[in-house]
Amino acid sequence: MLLVVVLSGLLAAGSAAPQPLALGVAADDSTAIDRFAATTGAPVGVYQWYQGWAGTPAFDATRATAAGARGALPLLTWEPWAPGAGADQPWYSLARIADGTHDAYITTFAQQVRNWGGRLGLRFLHELNAPFYPWGAGVNGNTSADAVAAWNHVRELFDAAGAHDVVWVWCVNVHAPGYADYAPLYPGDRAVDWVAVDGYNGGDALPWGGWRSPEEVFGDSLADLQDLTDRPLAITEVASAEQGGDKAAWIADLFALALGRGIRVLIWFDYQKETDWRVQSSPASAAAIRREATVPGRLGPPPLPLPATGRDRTGGR
């Protein structure tokens, strides 16, 4: 009898409902939230946009407010570079960020975030392991120690400015030959709220190795991140080309991967850029994401840390 009771308890514990998946969109205009919601037939949990440091632009409180008004967490990808000028920009090296060169701008920006007063996701130094940007591994003399120091320095400036209601999103690119390992770049759980990864299926539209399933794109990278930390895991940029395979089936496989791996946030890169990444690139693609997004009980809000007045935060897992 005791054995039966123990087994019953284990089965009950193992049958807990999975945590919800927050579906998001990355796009230039916050009105894309409405279009994406209409396409998917589901609420948008996260809205992501991009902003470079060149010219020291102010925090876009209007855009963040528009996202919040639509029920989405505003998530800013904050990029220390002059956009479009390539990775060779020593002014924006990690060492320069860590040594205080940009402190005046960072502090002013943090004060603007604090004065805005809402909850902001901040994806700083995204795709850090790849040599795409001035802050990337292998360019501008950047080292893993510089990466950790730059991250922690910016966090400290935000804390000093009283900008505590920020969801800090640490992001890498999926593994590829020549890219840096994740672990040496990671600043630690006390400094991070979500751990994120970006990846795409370029299919036959781009010279990235042909059609690749979501498991082929993300599998090894997700396993390494889950070995690194138990912070909530997000895919902050994902999309597929149409050429070379079945994009609708790829979307279904992506949701299966996300749900099977315990992904908490999935953000579709809804741009027509290197190719047509948009979910509306074909009627079949749009119908596929709608089928996946409207499964009852599947979607929910993004994981949020408890409000805090300093660096130590728990919750949101």
Side-chain angles (χ1 to χ4, degrees):
M1 179 64 72
L2 178 60
L3 179 60
V4 172
V5 171
V6 171
L7 288 174
S8 297
L10 290 173
L11 288 171
S15 62
Q19 294 177 303
L21 176 67
L23 182 61
V25 61
D28 280 336
D29 190 333
S30 59
T31 59
I33 300 172
D34 301 327
R35 294 194 299 273
F36 194 74
T39 298
T40 62
V44 176
V46 183
Y47 165 66
Q48 179 172 235
W49 78 100
Y50 303 79
Q51 182 173 317
W53 285 18
T56 62
F59 171 61
D60 193 344
T62 299
R63 188 192 298 255
T65 298
R70 291 167 167 83
L73 173 72
L75 173 59
L76 169 62
T77 296
W78 202 34
E79 304 174 305
W81 74 327
D88 185 15
Q89 299 184 49
W91 178 246
Y92 295 110
S93 70
L94 293 172
R96 291 247 182 179
I97 296 170
D99 71 11
T101 298
H102 300 280
D103 278 10
Y105 173 56
I106 296 166
T107 297
T108 298
F109 197 91
Q111 291 168 342
Q112 293 166 349
V113 171
R114 178 202 64 202
N115 293 341
W116 170 63
R119 175 69 66 91
L120 176 72
L122 193 65
R123 193 172 69 130
F124 172 54
L125 304 179
H126 76 292
E127 301 178 2
L128 181 60
N129 64 312
F132 301 153
Y133 303 110
W135 60 86
V139 299
N140 286 330
N142 295 331
T143 67
S144 57
D146 292 333
V148 172
W151 180 277
N152 286 331
H153 183 65
V154 170
R155 277 227 50 177
E156 288 162 3
L157 291 175
F158 269 69
D159 287 342
H164 301 306
D165 208 6
V166 173
V167 180
W168 289 88
V169 181
W170 183 83
C171 176
V172 290
N173 199 78
V174 292
H175 290 311
Y179 289 11
D181 292 337
Y182 297 156
L185 302 170
Y186 187 57
D189 285 357
R190 289 187 68 237
V192 173
D193 295 310
W194 301 352
V195 170
V197 62
D198 295 348
Y200 295 83
N201 171 37
D204 292 345
L206 297 164
W208 296 352
W211 190 268
R212 300 173 69 213
S213 71
E215 176 63 32
E216 290 172 320
V217 173
F218 288 104
D220 291 344
S221 301
L222 292 174
D224 285 349
L225 290 173
Q226 288 170 319
D227 285 342
L228 180 65
T229 178
D230 64 355
R231 284 301 195 208
L233 189 55
I235 294 176
T236 41
E237 290 183 23
V238 63
S240 174
E242 290 277 0
Q243 298 90 334
D246 185 337
K247 183 171 179 176
W250 196 93
I251 289 171
D253 290 343
L254 174 66
F255 274 81
L257 175 77
L259 295 165
R261 294 297 190 99
I263 304 300
R264 298 298 310 281
V265 180
L266 185 66
I267 300 177
W268 192 270
F269 187 79
D270 210 45
Y271 284 83
Q272 190 166 7
K273 197 176 177 185
E274 300 90 350
T275 188
D276 192 348
W277 300 117
R278 299 172 302 165
V279 292
Q280 306 96 326
S281 59
S282 68
S285 172
I289 199 166
R290 190 179 187 91
R291 282 193 301 271
E292 298 299 329
T294 54
V295 173
R298 173 170 287 180
L299 301 187
L304 299 176
L306 299 175
T309 57
R311 291 179 64 88
D312 290 320
R313 302 199 294 184
T314 59
R317 299 211 178 179

